[in-house]
Amino acid sequence: MKTLKTLAIAFTIITASSCKDVKQETISEKVSEVKTELKKQNDMKILFVLTSHDKLGDTGKKTGFWVEEFASPYYTLLDKGAKITIATPKGGAAPIDPSSDSPDAATASTDRYNKDEDAKSKIANTEVLADMNPNDFDAVFYPGGHGPLWDLTNDKASVALIEAFDRQEKPIAFVCHAPAVLKDVKNADGTALVKGKRVTGFSNSEEAAVGLTEVVPLLLEDMLIENGALYSNLDQWKPYAVQDGNLITGQNPASSELVAEKLLESLK
């Protein structure tokens, strides 16, 4: 009986010790996973591509990129440790659409941008798009605004850049009018990149609502459908983002944060 009691006590000690070791091992694994995730996020290198175009057709008014569509994704990614580079076709200062810098268009992200001298300095001194190497980045993001409809839709450096990112299966993200830059982007077999893919972007009804249907060089919704995309959208100004593989698109300014979140998730 004494022997049995001794064996029982020994078994209990061994079991407790084993459980402790397993628990410590599990904690160590969790800590390691967290450290790996933090390192991965801190190593993220993302290229933002903005327009250099500032003329709204023949209206005599100014355009450019939409501040909210830059600011919200910029801070969403920056706050997770991403290293962000900003480029434009011409380099130098990227033009801001005056309408996006008005009190009516203000958000928490635009307010933060207006107080952020470092971010404003980057916007005033962008890199030249043609000098960017896709191998140096983990993803590319295109904010919208009407400006890209005039320059980035026809920019060969932009087309080549997006195709390179796609061939490498890296995330490529666009919001509002920015999906227009996919107009001439092709798959390796020569078909349109968006053919057969689920996408969204600034709708025809939203363009009509801002009174620019007859001003813009193309209607984004029509172009995507003509190129074979499976286009969808929600009601005007509703947040909506779609992901198909590594391609991420958002419908309007309200969708910019959704696009950034999907981009961030794709990089995990």
Side-chain angles (χ1 to χ4, degrees), residues 151-208:
D151 63 350
L152 286 170
T153 52
N154 305 303
D155 190 282
K156 291 181 179 180
S158 176
V159 170
L161 187 88
I162 297 168
E163 289 179 346
F165 271 94
D166 185 61
R167 304 289 192 274
Q168 294 172 12
E169 298 183 348
K170 294 176 180 177
I172 51 177
F174 313 82
V175 67
C176 200
H177 284 90
V181 308
L182 295 167
K183 180 172 68 73
D184 294 329
V185 179
K186 307 292 185 185
N187 292 305
D189 62 4
T191 58
L193 180 74
V194 298
K195 185 177 181 180
K197 292 184 178 178
R198 294 177 291 108
V199 299
T200 188
F202 206 62
S203 66
N204 287 353
S205 65
E206 286 169 319
E207 201 69 81

Side-chain angles (χ1 to χ4, degrees), residues 48-113:
F48 273 47
V49 181
L50 299 176
T51 182
S52 289
H53 188 86
D54 67 352
K55 294 181 177 63
L56 189 62
D58 298 325
T59 64
K61 297 179 180 179
K62 293 290 186 179
T63 189
F65 74 90
W66 200 264
V67 180
E68 160 64 19
E69 295 168 25
F70 163 78
S72 182
Y74 178 79
Y75 291 117
T76 296
L77 297 165
L78 189 72
D79 290 347
K80 291 296 185 179
K83 185 175 181 180
I84 298 171
T85 299
I86 305 171
T88 57
K90 294 181 180 179
I96 293 174
D97 189 313
S99 298
S100 73
D101 201 25
S102 66
D104 290 344
T107 65
S109 294
T110 62
D111 288 343
R112 181 176 173 182
Y113 170 75

